[in-house]
Amino acid sequence: MLSLVYRSGFQPISQRLRPWVQSTATSRSHRVQPAAISHARSWSNIPFITVPLSRAQGKSFAHRSELKHAKRIVVKLGSAVVTRGDECGLALGRLASIVEQVSVLQNQGREMMLVTSGAVAFGKQRLRHEILLSQSVRQALHSGQNQLKEMAVPVLEARACAAAGQSGLMALYEAMFTQYSICAAQILVTNLDFHDEQKRRNLNGTLHELLRMNIVPIVNTNDAVVPPAEPNSDLQGVISVKDNDSLAARLAVEMKTDLLIVLSDVEGLFDSPPGSDDAKLIDIFYPGDQQSVTFGTKSRVGMGGMEAKVKAALWALQGGTSVVIANGTHPKVSGHVITDIVEGKKVGTFFSEVKPAGPTVEQQGEMARTGGRMLATLEPEQRAEIIHHLADLLTDQREAILSANKKDLEEAEGRLAGPLLKRLSLSTSKLNSLAIGLRQIAASSQDSVGRVLRRTRVAKNLELEQVTVPIGVLLVIFESRPDCLPQVAALAIASGNGLLLKGGREASHSNRILHLLTQEALSVHGVKEAVQLVNTREEVEDLCRLDKMIDLIIPRGSSQLVRDIQKMTKGIPVMGHSEGICHMYVDSEASVDKATRLVRDSKCEYPAACNALETLLIHRDLLRTPLFDQIIDMLRVEQVKIHAGPKFASYLTFSPSEVKSLRTEYGDLELCIEVVDSVQEAIEHIHKYGSSHTDVIVTENEKTAEFFLQHVDSACVFWNASTRFSDGYRFGLGAEVGISTSRIHARGPVGLEGLLTTKWLLRGLDHVVSDFSEHGNLKYLHENLPVPQRNIN
């Protein structure tokens, strides 16, 4: 490590190290070419990735998603991050993790700088040890006894601690960075180094030279000599470097840094002191928002509280540097907080000068919750009226909808596969079918919210009811298919739920107009805000973190989308199917014509659907029969690629390609065929390799069919019917928000009933539990009472 205590007139490092630099071939220009970076990283065991690093000169990034383009980054480590909870010694695990993250980014071709605290804490630990050891020796000489536990340790002066701890702190950084083949250099600064123009230029030149040589500068105030901070002098043209927040901001602006990451012991900036009942984390902070924030006390250690961090952040933002304040101490996130921020994930508080035109997703969540509660208080007829109006708009505004959809199709041409283009496409017939489905939902909504499921007389004058209520706020994430937007919106309206919709970019034009029409329909009864379309740059992973705003996530799309969301979600239930591996078992007593017709419809009508057939199970007795030949000929005509299961392949001399896995969802004109010896073996195969979505038996034997229907444990089990009937509209539910393969709450196509939960209403006089005790004067009755039937006319 190069340890540099910066002084006036200090010889630039470039002059002292020029021969070494020329011999290492690790130097690089300010804008490093990928090939050069790759060569310079050849010694590292961290895989190199090419990152396009650029931004408009002198301008901060407007959105989090742009942070991945940051080239030059300052990471400020607060005292609470670097030190242990006892403020005496360093948090070695956190430091090691931070060094690893900085090294990963450095090896991506970025230019990393650290502003670190910790010298005082490290020195305090060393000096205490020395004092206690010295006192124990003296007392042992005088009394012959070791009274170490009774000794009082004097209060240690911070500058002395810094002097004793600085070398050890930097030696620790050196050892850690060496593990990643990265060199680091220490630079200690004081106020004078920013007051004097010549010194400031020298400091700037030194830092640029270190970055050019692929060295990580580690900057700190020279706490051994620095005087106390001058009141109100932070960032007033001359910085008070007693405060490392201000130092980091000044350094970031001085070096024209793209991003400043300030790590503290809180998640970011809250609108009121963290820990207070109503405190909310501010995702994005804009200049001028200070009046909306109430600052609390400063950190347990260090010089600057959150107010100092915000002032420093705004000063850096004004100088063209983007800023994120985040938690560097949380054990579950500190191991990847820096890399998460640079990847654009929603971590901490992001400072931006560009306010979005519309509301933030957090505000949309609040609007959806408020609007949903208003929906739930409407009369059933009013909710039905909204849905009828939306159905009318789908046909009345057909031309505008199809025009927007045409734009999406034109932009997607060449980028999306054929099946996905089909899902993206809207047509007059689709819109007509949508309108019919919505009117079905309107009819069923008459008896949804507030329906009494059970009434019980608990005791005299004490009656209990269980009634249906909305779940709350739903987040529905869908790909390609814009037609699901009005379907899901209608179901949310009917069930009184607030709704956040996140559609794919490929359907942005279609989704926008369909959402506008939905809000127009909601305006009939003043609940326009109940359905929100997320149009911001929020990533799906960020939405899955909003556990205080969203009650249920429903993914609609590929099995990969569902699996990804199930992994991303942070405490929010996810309803959906991970895969759509649907089976059809053709029994030995199946009809030839029925079997062929059902296989064709299940596999070929819409192969990209989750309810399309993926595995065909054939009874062994059907091999080399007209029924089998007819199915194979049909599949050949439909250009379906066949994969042979292990048993099926063993019967063939020249078989199709043997399947790699019997648990595959193809989503295309591909089909696995396997042979089974009986209906029992077919059921066992389905339970082992299926996904509990939809499974079918084709047979003329009613007893065999009933055995299959009763024993297959899937959400949908059919007899002599296509798998494609597994659909909310075809079930008469009007539409579906998705198909659930879970066993909790809802299963199969999820319509209106699946979006409701219940609550209990107890009506009494002055009942208390003690009256029902052994010596009380009341007894429980628990009588079932008739449930009132709602008049639906």
Side-chain angles (χ1 to χ4, degrees), residues 519-701:
Q519 290 201 314
E520 182 179 335
L522 287 163
S523 299
V524 170
H525 289 291
V527 286
K528 175 183 176 182
E529 309 298 345
V531 177
Q532 298 286 325
L533 179 64
V534 179
N535 282 320
T536 62
R537 294 179 177 228
E538 242 70 31
E539 298 296 332
V540 169
E541 183 173 357
D542 295 328
L543 294 173
C544 291
R545 298 172 188 264
L546 302 177
D547 58 305
K548 291 184 174 61
M549 297 181 180
I550 297 167
D551 299 296
L552 179 65
I553 299 177
I554 305 173
R556 289 193 58 164
S558 66
S559 58
Q560 187 61 49
L561 171 72
V562 179
R563 284 195 298 270
D564 289 345
I565 289 173
Q566 288 172 333
K567 292 177 183 177
M568 292 174 191
T569 185
K570 306 297 180 184
I572 308 174
V574 178
M575 183 166 66
H577 61 279
S578 58
E579 292 171 302
I581 305 175
C582 302
H583 290 75
M584 180 178 288
Y585 165 58
V586 181
D587 185 53
S588 60
E589 298 179 66
S591 160
V592 175
D593 293 335
K594 284 182 184 178
T596 306
R597 178 177 164 84
L598 291 172
V599 172
R600 177 190 285 113
D601 189 78
S602 297
K603 178 72 261 186
C604 307
E605 196 266 342
Y606 193 179
C610 66
N611 56 15
L613 177 64
E614 302 294 6
T615 298
L616 179 64
L617 300 176
I618 301 285
H619 193 284
R620 181 185 58 183
D621 293 347
L622 296 177
L623 291 177
R624 302 181 180 89
T625 66
L627 185 151
F628 178 77
D629 292 340
Q630 187 166 317
I631 291 176
I632 296 298
D633 289 342
M634 179 274 297
L635 293 173
R636 186 180 296 115
V637 170
E638 296 289 343
Q639 298 182 334
V640 177
K641 182 179 180 180
I642 296 175
H643 301 275
K647 288 185 69 174
F648 180 42
S650 69
Y651 284 100
L652 304 174
T653 305
F654 299 100
S655 68
S657 60
E658 186 168 341
V659 68
K660 294 180 180 178
S661 170
L662 289 168
R663 188 182 174 87
T664 301
E665 181 180 11
Y666 298 103
D668 206 345
L669 287 173
E670 297 184 56
L671 180 68
C672 171
I673 297 181
E674 182 58 310
V675 174
V676 293
D677 293 337
S678 64
V679 64
Q680 182 62 47
E681 188 177 337
I683 293 170
E684 291 171 359
H685 180 104
I686 290 169
H687 288 165
K688 184 174 183 179
Y689 299 108
S691 60
S692 301
H693 191 295
T694 302
D695 299 293
V696 175
I697 182 172
V698 183
T699 184
E700 297 302 301
N701 187 313

Side-chain angles (χ1 to χ4, degrees), residues 702-723:
E702 182 177 354
K703 185 178 179 180
T704 303
E706 288 300 326
F707 183 84
F708 184 90
L709 293 174
Q710 296 303 317
H711 287 80
V712 171
D713 185 18
S714 296
C716 300
V717 189
F718 302 161
W719 172 24
N720 287 349
S722 169
T723 61

Side-chain angles (χ1 to χ4, degrees), residues 73-88:
I73 302 171
V74 170
V75 179
K76 184 264 177 178
L77 309 180
S79 299
V81 176
V82 176
T83 62
R84 297 198 313 243
D86 60 4
E87 303 174 27
C88 185

